[in-house]
Amino acid sequence: MDEKNCGEFLVSNRELGSFELAIKTARNKAEMGEVLRMYDLPEESFFSSFPDLAKSVQDLPDEDSLRA
């Protein structure tokens, strides 16, 4: 991921790495939404600024499947 394509949302490589890890370890779309809120990143901006990450989370379940 190239930091210069992140717009004003993420300002350092450390913050970008932390964000990427949090998104990749989200177990469901609710957790992904929490990460986006934590980084103050609108969902629309996430999908346009991070297409590879967005693709990786599209198949996440809506809720935690372990709760059932």
Side-chain angles (χ1 to χ4, degrees), residues 1 23-24 46-58:
M1 229 180 282
I23 289 292
K24 286 183 175 183
F46 168 67
F47 285 105
S48 64
S49 297
F50 301 96
D52 293 335
L53 271 181
K55 210 182 288 184
S56 72
V57 299
Q58 285 180 341

Side-chain angles (χ1 to χ4, degrees), residues 13-42:
N13 283 330
R14 180 179 290 174
E15 190 174 19
L16 180 60
S18 175
F19 171 75
E20 185 176 353
L21 180 63
I23 289 292
K24 286 183 175 183
T25 58
R27 294 177 296 177
N28 55 52
K29 290 181 181 174
E31 283 186 9
M32 182 202 69
E34 289 175 26
V35 171
L36 295 180
R37 281 188 292 283
M38 186 171 52
Y39 283 90
D40 196 28
L41 182 65

